[in-house]
Amino acid sequence: MSAELADLRRLVEELRDREAIRDVITGIARGVDRFDGALLASCIHPDASFDMGGAAPVTGEAFVAMLKTPAQAPLGRMHVVSNQRIVLHGDEAWSESHVLSCQAISTNGQVQTRIRAGRYLDRFTRRDGTWKLAARTFVDEW
């Protein structure tokens, strides 16, 4: 195999890994927004660590279990994830992403929009050929 072909193969593998990690990041956002526990579980290692800036950190398994479909349909919620920077190192990767979370909430009969913005500091591991989230720290910006 020529050096040029080997370089091209490494580049394709790197691009494939980055895209798989982006799919995990957006899969988690979609899973949370749509109360899709199966999607969340497919993106998060059960032993992952979640520190969302509130209570004590929880495992990935506990994070997925906490997300319950509400009895009444939610008024609206979405996560917009952008400015992703992904650093790969073998079967581990780290990323920083900007996130904007919008949620319609009802307080005393009035609907308001709660907006929260910050950064996800994530660590991913590839196990059995599949990338999943291994740790997330949310840094609240506003």
Side-chain angles (χ1 to χ4, degrees):
M1 173 182 340
S2 72
E4 184 178 340
L5 182 56
D7 287 345
L8 183 58
R9 283 189 176 177
R10 275 191 296 276
L11 176 61
V12 169
E13 286 177 22
E14 180 180 325
L15 292 171
R16 185 176 27 203
D17 289 342
R18 287 179 190 280
E19 194 59 26
I21 290 167
R22 280 188 192 91
D23 284 348
V24 169
I25 294 168
T26 57
I28 293 169
R30 180 176 174 78
V32 169
D33 289 345
R34 301 291 183 254
F35 301 96
D36 187 337
L39 178 57
L40 277 178
S42 76
C43 295
I44 302 168
H45 290 299
D47 62 345
S49 172
F50 269 81
D51 182 353
M52 300 305 285
V58 298
T59 65
E61 185 174 49
F63 182 80
V64 171
M66 284 189 298
L67 190 73
K68 304 280 188 226
T69 304
Q72 266 189 333
L75 299 173
R77 62 195 275 157
M78 70 176 181
H79 288 79
V80 179
V81 184
S82 66
N83 295 9
Q84 297 169 340
R85 182 173 189 273
I86 300 169
V87 176
L88 297 165
H89 187 74
D91 288 335
E92 283 194 290
W94 296 263
S95 76
E96 180 176 336
S97 306
H98 292 184
V99 62
L100 179 65
S101 168
C102 305
Q103 184 174 3
I105 57 174
S106 179
T107 307
N108 298 326
Q110 296 218 330
V111 176
Q112 299 173 343
T113 302
R114 186 192 94 175
I115 299 176
R116 188 173 184 194
R119 292 175 287 130
Y120 290 147
L121 305 179
D122 293 336
R123 182 173 60 84
F124 303 88
T125 57
R126 178 172 36 201
R127 299 178 191 169
D128 299 322
T130 302
W131 286 102
K132 290 188 179 185
L133 186 75
R136 170 167 283 175
T137 299
F138 178 72
V139 178
D140 225 341
E141 297 290 348
W142 57 270

